[in-house]
């Protein structure tokens, strides 16, 4: 196929808009429709589902979506590629076949497996997790589509592999086509989070026609270049800004490692080609790494939480009193006990809520008896014997299990990437023969000499700078970008690692890496350990770091007066 292939995406996470699949199929021409249902936290949720019932472990919402959309997809000859199989792609494929029979729809269904390493975890040096899933590439998907599959369901592949598999099948790519694959990786990264590419979570959202946002489409050409767009008459917009924001989401250094190619993000060139059309070109690819990343989730114990409200005067003294009383009264000290006081109060407040602060106490322990009802009851027993105005935000609870995430790595040759075709024939996909030890990106703390920018004014950084942030296991990233070359030069000289730590005191004692992406007019900061042991374990105010970039934008700095609002 020499013409660009239109690949839409209808899901950015497990819980995204249920009607999006039908909207994308009904809204205009597509060749393929993808859906991303998996995240690190989702794998833990599915793992707990599987512990309760071995027949579960896949995204049930996709099956519900197919009840109303399977026939439409077949009628319009749109191939569907999703990772909704989660921990049980075979189970989802069986359920889809049953649904197709019920609907009397002739659908050829294939599934990709082999990512689930949990039974072999100890043998592979990965410990004893409840889930252990290798991030597979797109060539299993390609094989299934080449064999005539209408629907391909996978387990844990990289998010971009959904697009890579579809484009590789359409254009006949092989492992040697590193640049083209890298281009598809970048296109897949842009559309994988659905409406984040069309204005969702966008710093300059007031410039976008918000509302019911449309989902994105990547028109991927044979050379790997692409155009990001959306169906006509859908909400939002596709601009250089919205695409840049998504390109910076949850990345690390300039090298974006995938099993089929390593995309060099600092080679990306983007341009506005028309209304809701942004071109991506120039992407170069290197050999993929020898190892596959593995998502590991462990059940770590039981967690419980008590939140008390502190109102009015003497907030700090009230907090100290409750801490001392509560700690002394606990029948057993938990393995971990953490406190966080959020000063949301303001002086001379006009409402009681505005006069109040929150004190959070979180306990973790392997023993449910230690952090269960006795823990909560201890707080309740202090209701009439502690600070004035004592109240809890919720009744006492028994606590709940929590998990921790950590990445692992395993040689790709030890993972059996398997595709079961619609006719039941199962084949193994060999890893890329081009694999090589990866080149590691080097963090650059600052850009060197600083120019004289003339008169300045005190204003929020976000008046001129956009940002997008997100979680990477226990770390987080903040991508900050400028909209003109001059503003990027200033940003590059101004926003050093030390300056980020100064503006965000919560990360002052953590390791922060700084990477430059000048073609995107962007800097990317990776903050190690800010999320503890992952979203399922930490109780940070913003556990997935989604607002971290917006916090940075809100900080007041010395902006050159030449940069008008």
């Amino acid at each position: 196929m020499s013409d660009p292939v239109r690949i839409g995406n209808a899901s950015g996470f497990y819980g995204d808009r249920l009607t999006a699949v039908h909207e994308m199929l009904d809204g205009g021409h597509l060749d393929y429709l993808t859906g991303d249902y998996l995240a690190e936290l989702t794998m833990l949720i599915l793992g707990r589902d599987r512990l309760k019932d071995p027949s579960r472990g896949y995204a049930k919402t996709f099956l519900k979506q197919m009840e109303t959309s399977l026939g439409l997809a077949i009628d319009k000859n749109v191939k569907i590629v999703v990772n909704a199989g989660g921990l049980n792609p075979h189970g989802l494929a069986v359920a889809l076949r049953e649904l197709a029979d019920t609907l009397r729809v002739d659908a050829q269904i294939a599934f990709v497996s082999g990512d689930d390493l949990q039974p072999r975890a100890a043998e592979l040096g990965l410990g004893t997790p409840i889930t252990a899933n290798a991030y597979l590439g797109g060539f299993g998907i390609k094989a299934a589509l080449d064999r005539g599959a209408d629907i391909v369901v996978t387990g844990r592949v990289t998010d971009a592999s959904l697009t890579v598999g579809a484009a590789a099948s359409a254009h006949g790519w092989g492992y040697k086509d590193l640049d083209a694959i890298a281009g598809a990786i970048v296109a897949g990264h842009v559309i994988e989070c659905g409406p984040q590419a069309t204005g969702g979570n966008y710093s300059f959202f007031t410039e976008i026609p918000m509302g019911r946002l449309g989902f994105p489409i990547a028109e991927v050409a044979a050379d790997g270049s692409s155009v990001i767009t959306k169906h006509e008459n859908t909400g939002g917009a596709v601009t250089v800004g919205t695409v840049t924001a998504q390109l910076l989401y949850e990345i690390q250094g300039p090298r974006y490692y995938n099993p089929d190619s390593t995309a060099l993000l600092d080679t990306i060139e983007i341009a506005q080609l028309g209304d809701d059309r942004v071109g991506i070109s120039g992407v170069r690819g290197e050999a993929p790494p020898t190892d596959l990343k593995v998502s590991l989730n462990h059940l770590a114990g039981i967690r419980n939480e008590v939140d008390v409200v502190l109102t009015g005067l003497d907030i700090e003294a009230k907090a100290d009193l409750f801490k001392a009383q509560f700690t002394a009264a606990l029948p057993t000290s938990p393995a971990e006990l953490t406190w966080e006081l959020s000063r949301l109060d303001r002086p001379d407040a006009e409402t009681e809520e505005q006069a109040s602060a929150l004190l959070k106490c979180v306990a973790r322990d392997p023993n449910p008896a230690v952090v269960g009802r006795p823990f909560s009851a201890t707080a309740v027993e202090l209701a009439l014997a502690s600070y004035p105005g004592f109240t809890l935000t919720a009744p006492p609870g028994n606590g709940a299990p929590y998990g921790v995430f950590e990445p692992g790595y395993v040689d790709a040759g030890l993972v059996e990437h398997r595709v079961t075709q619609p006719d039941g024939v199962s084949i193994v996909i060999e890893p890329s023969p081009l694999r090589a030890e990866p080149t590691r990106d080097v963090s650059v703390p600052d850009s060197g000499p600083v120019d004289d920018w003339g008169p300045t004014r005190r204003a929020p950084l976000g008046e001129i700078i956009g940002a997008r942030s997100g979680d990477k296991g226990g770390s987080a990233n903040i991508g900050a970008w400028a909209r003109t070359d001059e503003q990027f030069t200033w940003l590059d000289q101004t926003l050093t690692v030390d300056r980020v730590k100064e503006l965000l005191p919560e990360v002052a004692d953590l390791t922060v890496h700084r990477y430059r992406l000048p073609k995107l007019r962007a800097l990317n900061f990776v903050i190690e350990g800010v999320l503890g042991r992952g979203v399922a374990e930490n109780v940070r105010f913003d556990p997935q770091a989604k607002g971290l970039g917006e916090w940075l934008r809100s900080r007041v700095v010395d902006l050159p007066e030449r940069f008008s609002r």
Side-chain angles (χ1 to χ4, degrees), residues 197-228:
T198 63
N201 295 332
Y202 182 54
S203 291
F204 303 107
F205 68 95
T206 57
E207 302 173 6
I208 298 292
M210 300 292 285
R212 191 174 178 84
L213 299 186
F215 279 66
I217 299 166
E219 298 175 351
V220 183
D223 64 355
S225 62
S226 63
V227 174
I228 307 301

Side-chain angles (χ1 to χ4, degrees), residues 469-547:
S469 59
D471 59 306
K472 295 294 291 183
S475 299
N477 92 297
I478 304 175
W481 81 93
R483 299 199 281 185
T484 69
D485 291 340
E486 186 182 38
Q487 289 174 356
F488 173 67
T489 300
W490 173 82
L491 177 70
D492 191 21
Q493 294 178 359
T494 302
L495 202 58
T496 64
V497 167
D498 288 342
R499 189 72 171 118
V500 167
K501 290 185 174 186
E502 179 184 337
L503 294 172
L504 306 181
E506 289 181 9
V507 310
D509 296 328
L510 302 177
T511 299
V512 178
H513 303 279
R514 179 183 187 270
Y515 301 102
R516 301 177 71 251
L517 297 168
K519 287 192 175 183
L520 299 178
R521 302 192 188 107
L523 304 174
N524 189 52
F525 297 90
V526 178
I527 305 167
E528 291 188 8
V530 67
L531 302 180
R533 292 182 288 175
V535 59
E537 186 267 352
N538 89 82
V539 290
R540 191 177 178 277
F541 175 73
D542 176 19
Q544 291 182 285
K546 303 302 184 186

Side-chain angles (χ1 to χ4, degrees), residues 76-117:
K76 301 191 76 169
N77 194 29
V78 178
K79 309 296 184 184
I80 295 179
V81 182
V82 296
N83 61 13
L87 301 177
N88 189 8
H90 178 226
L92 178 56
V94 169
L96 283 169
R97 290 188 184 113
E98 293 172 350
L99 175 63
D101 290 343
T102 300
L103 298 176
R104 297 183 180 179
V105 173
D106 182 14
Q108 301 299 304
I109 299 165
F111 68 93
V112 177
S113 59
D115 61 293
D116 190 353
L117 305 181

